[in-house]
Amino acid sequence: MDEITKSSTKNRKHTDEKDGTFSPVKSPVPQYDGRHQGNLTGILRKVKDTAADVHNQLLKWKKLNTEGSNIISEIANTKIEKVFNAEGEECENQLPATLESHCDRLTSVYHSMEKIVEKLQQMRAALCSVQTLSQHKGGEDDILFHTWNVHDFVVTMDQLIEMYLSELKLKKSIAENVAHAENRQTMMFYSAAWIHEPYVEDSAQMLVESLITETGHK
């Protein structure tokens, strides 16, 4: 999916009882009348912009993950060519100078990913502030767009952050140790662990899709 702009809105058609269509049943839970507004303000704008930011930040994460995987492949190829002999044994104390530049690039990718997780945490904090404001106004259970209240958005952010924090720790370990892998098998493990992201569950994509669908970006 392409990057989402915060100002994106959808045109929605209004049904007319004269056309013979049924009017929707109103929810007993109070709702903000923001689903049909072109220019949202206040809480609705904050939440919708946050959903777009989350989506766009995780797109950047995916690009960085691919970039990091390519760098690890370069590190692996360098070690296989320059360090490991034909039988796969390590030639001690013969790390080529080119490895340093590869490792620096991988470290840079890691730090960029670290900033993304920090931004996700900041977004969650902002949503928590919105939730607190809603509580003071007695509207914590109000439906914002379609079916979610503020708490639902906070819970979704909690789930995403937990996954990406765990994955970030793995990335850090790989970035620190990949150049010191003792054999081809270990190199293959590092490479597979980086690209497949075991801590980012399949549900992460569903959560992000739910965020942008719920807020009308999709």
Side-chain angles (χ1 to χ4, degrees):
M1 183 178 295
D2 295 333
E3 184 171 331
I4 293 176
T5 57
K6 295 181 182 180
S7 60
S8 67
T9 58
K10 277 195 173 184
N11 294 323
R12 302 183 183 278
K13 294 182 180 179
H14 297 274
T15 58
D16 191 340
E17 292 183 1
K18 294 181 180 180
D19 295 333
T21 56
F22 290 102
S23 298
V25 177
K26 291 185 177 180
S27 169
V29 180
Q31 298 189 20
Y32 288 108
D33 188 21
R35 291 170 293 169
H36 305 295
Q37 296 180 8
N39 297 315
L40 302 180
T41 59
I43 289 177
L44 291 174
R45 171 52 60 193
K46 180 64 177 177
V47 173
K48 186 166 185 174
D49 285 353
T50 298
D53 286 337
V54 171
H55 175 271
N56 294 336
Q57 288 300 319
L58 294 184
L59 280 182
K60 293 178 182 178
W61 175 285
K62 288 182 179 180
K63 293 178 181 178
L64 288 167
N65 191 55
T66 299
E67 182 180 348
S69 179
N70 292 336
I71 295 171
I72 290 176
S73 294
E74 293 177 16
I75 292 173
N77 290 335
T78 299
K79 290 209 67 171
I80 289 172
E81 179 182 357
K82 303 293 185 180
V83 179
F84 302 134
N85 62 22
E87 290 74 31
E89 297 177 354
E90 183 185 11
C91 299
E92 297 183 357
N93 300 321
Q94 293 185 17
L95 295 178
T98 52
L99 275 181
E100 184 175 354
S101 63
H102 294 330
C103 291
D104 288 343
R105 289 166 55 210
L106 188 60
T107 298
S108 178
V109 168
Y110 163 76
H111 285 311
S112 295
M113 290 178 141
E114 186 178 37
K115 290 179 181 178
I116 287 175
V117 173
E118 290 174 355
K119 288 179 180 179
L120 292 179
Q121 292 172 318
Q122 292 169 2
M123 293 175 204
R124 180 197 178 279
L127 287 177
C128 286
S129 296
V130 171
Q131 185 178 24
T132 300
L133 179 61
S134 297
Q135 289 172 342
H136 287 312
K137 292 183 176 181
E140 182 184 8
D141 294 329
D142 290 359
I143 302 301
L144 299 185
F145 297 95
H146 297 289
T147 60
W148 287 14
N149 56 34
V150 179
H151 178 70
D152 294 323
F153 285 96
V154 173
V155 169
T156 299
M157 288 299 298
D158 286 340
Q159 293 173 314
L160 287 170
I161 289 172
E162 181 179 3
M163 292 183 202
Y164 283 92
L165 266 178
S166 297
E167 186 61 35
L168 186 66
K169 292 177 182 177
L170 176 62
K171 302 289 194 203
K172 181 179 181 180
S173 178
I174 295 173
E176 291 175 344
N177 294 288
V178 66
H180 305 289
E182 297 179 353
N183 50 57
R184 289 181 176 86
Q185 289 72 26
T186 303
M187 286 297 312
M188 291 174 62
F189 170 79
Y190 285 144
S191 179
W194 181 285
I195 192 63
H196 292 298
E197 300 194 305
Y199 291 104
V200 179
E201 301 174 9
D202 293 339
S203 60
Q205 182 63 32
M206 181 188 68
L207 291 172
V208 176
E209 289 288 333
S210 297
L211 272 176
I212 62 177
T213 300
E214 180 66 25
T215 51
H217 287 293
K218 182 179 179 182

